[in-house]
Amino acid sequence: MPELPEVEATRLILEKKLKGLRITEVTPDRDDHIVFDQASPEEVSAALEGARVRKVVRRGKYFWIELDRKPWPVFHLGMTGHIEIRGKTGRFKKAWGEKLWNEPKRDDFSERFPPFCRLRFAMSDGTEIAFTDPRRFGRIRLVELPLEEPPISKLGFDPLIDFPAAKELYELVRKRRAPLKSILLDQSIFAGVGNWIADEVLYHSKLSPHRLGTSLSPKEVAQLRLKLLHVVEKAVHVRADYNSYPKTWIFHRRWGKDADAITARGERIVHETIGGRTTAWVPAVQK
DNA sequence: CTCAGTGTTCAGTG
DNA sequence: TCACTGAACACTGA
């Protein structure tokens, strides 16, 4: 779900739809202050209304809207967050991915607020943007300098922005005694990598998720690096459209509950918990 | 009814 | 202090 490719797909569509427009109205969910951390709904509206969108920027799984005045809203989609967009007419449409939830029947009210709406922007051309999040792990914060304060300042390398050479990555990974799976999910090293990307990359790298960082050779780290770039670039290229991912990816089978899932090549997929996260991997291939 | 889970943070352990 | 583990967070649906 929302990992780097999904967030990048969101960023692209927001930039395309919002650039140059003015925010005319901000409507936070009144029961949901948690989404804005400390700020009240009134403060959020006052801070954002009237400002004009310059661009939309992403780092790791965070993205923010750069306005012509501070502060700027920083978003994290959590596990189930989504951005939905509606033109002057029509319905709200998700920025990426398939339908994840059975949507409740719409009445007149929900026509203006899609299901699980936490925040809605109305723009100067009539476009409306909604931040929706059924499980409420998503976050929106008002920030002066996103890159310079936590949590964004603490992120590691972003594969699409400043991914390091194999040697630098090797020096980093070899110091860690944790399982590879946990290292890949560590945002202070690999910003934007999430559960499915980590599993996909380990599969294509032919590396077991149990391998410790200390056990890797420079060659293996180089392989891991290439596969990570390949998976991320491909997923971003198709705008996180899951149906367009290559048939050889285990992604397609990882959500299946069936214990005997197999890859497109007929290899058995094993599901187990590693570092507290569900992991799908192929022992026949990954060593 | 129970429980797993896409991500992050924080308390606890070694 | 560092590094790592696991629980908590809120909610849906299997």
Side-chain angles (χ1 to χ4, degrees), chain A residues 159-216:
Chain A
L160 294 186
I161 301 173
D162 53 7
F163 212 44
K167 191 175 177 222
E168 189 176 347
L169 218 46
Y170 171 67
E171 296 301 333
L172 225 46
V173 170
R174 68 189 290 229
K175 280 191 248 174
R176 302 294 229 89
R177 200 168 292 278
L180 260 186
K181 175 64 184 273
S182 306
I183 299 174
L184 278 168
L185 290 177
D186 186 336
Q187 300 299 295
S188 72
I189 301 180
F190 299 101
V193 172
N195 209 7
W196 79 254
I197 293 181
D199 287 355
E200 197 66 54
V201 167
L202 287 170
Y203 171 61
H204 295 292
S205 305
K206 300 183 164 57
L207 292 167
S208 162
H210 292 289
R211 285 280 296 279
L212 301 184
T214 48
S215 80
L216 290 201

Side-chain angles (χ1 to χ4, degrees), chain A residues 28-42 44 118 136 139-140:
Chain A
D29 176 345
R30 298 204 67 87
D31 301 326
D32 200 20
H33 297 216
I34 191 170
V35 168
F36 314 104
D37 287 352
Q38 302 84 357
S40 71
E42 290 76 16
V44 173
R118 309 297 168 203
R136 297 168 177 261
R139 288 290 178 268
I140 306 170

Side-chain angles (χ1 to χ4, degrees), chain A residues 26-230:
Chain A
V26 179
T27 317
D29 176 345
R30 298 204 67 87
D31 301 326
D32 200 20
H33 297 216
I34 191 170
V35 168
F36 314 104
D37 287 352
Q38 302 84 357
S40 71
E42 290 76 16
E43 288 170 317
V44 173
S45 301
L48 301 177
E49 284 173 0
R52 194 174 294 276
V53 175
R54 285 219 193 100
K55 54 180 174 173
V56 186
V57 185
R58 181 195 60 78
R59 185 168 185 87
K61 296 171 200 164
Y62 294 87
F63 67 92
W64 59 96
I65 300 176
E66 288 195 11
L67 302 168
D68 59 0
R69 66 166 203 251
K70 304 283 185 93
W72 297 338
V74 175
F75 300 78
H76 191 291
L77 298 174
M79 292 213 276
T80 55
H82 234 113
I83 293 293
E84 304 192 31
I85 299 181
R86 177 168 76 166
K88 294 176 202 49
T89 60
R91 328 182 81 186
F92 277 100
K93 201 177 154 217
K94 288 183 166 52
W96 52 268
E98 342 175 327
K99 194 174 76 170
L100 297 172
W101 309 96
N102 289 324
E103 317 229 328
K105 284 246 190 302
R106 291 160 188 272
D107 51 24
D108 285 345
F109 177 79
S110 61
E111 185 62 34
R112 302 206 66 205
F113 296 85
F116 311 112
C117 183
R118 309 297 168 203
L119 175 71
R120 191 188 58 157
F121 293 97
M123 308 302 296
S124 45
D125 75 338
T127 301
E128 292 182 16
I129 307 294
F131 178 99
T132 61
D133 184 13
R135 290 183 189 169
R136 297 168 177 261
F137 283 179
R139 288 290 178 268
I140 306 170
R141 297 174 56 218
L142 299 178
V143 173
E144 297 285 329
L145 296 164
L147 284 170
E148 290 169 35
E149 40 193 287
I152 296 176
S153 64
K154 291 201 278 199
L155 292 175
F157 304 108
D158 185 295
L160 294 186
I161 301 173
D162 53 7
F163 212 44
K167 191 175 177 222
E168 189 176 347
L169 218 46
Y170 171 67
E171 296 301 333
L172 225 46
V173 170
R174 68 189 290 229
K175 280 191 248 174
R176 302 294 229 89
R177 200 168 292 278
L180 260 186
K181 175 64 184 273
S182 306
I183 299 174
L184 278 168
L185 290 177
D186 186 336
Q187 300 299 295
S188 72
I189 301 180
F190 299 101
V193 172
N195 209 7
W196 79 254
I197 293 181
D199 287 355
E200 197 66 54
V201 167
L202 287 170
Y203 171 61
H204 295 292
S205 305
K206 300 183 164 57
L207 292 167
S208 162
H210 292 289
R211 285 280 296 279
L212 301 184
T214 48
S215 80
L216 290 201
S217 70
K219 214 170 184 175
E220 288 171 324
V221 173
Q223 175 79 339
L224 190 70
R225 175 180 176 279
L226 281 182
K227 295 302 183 184
L228 173 51
L229 284 173
H230 175 255

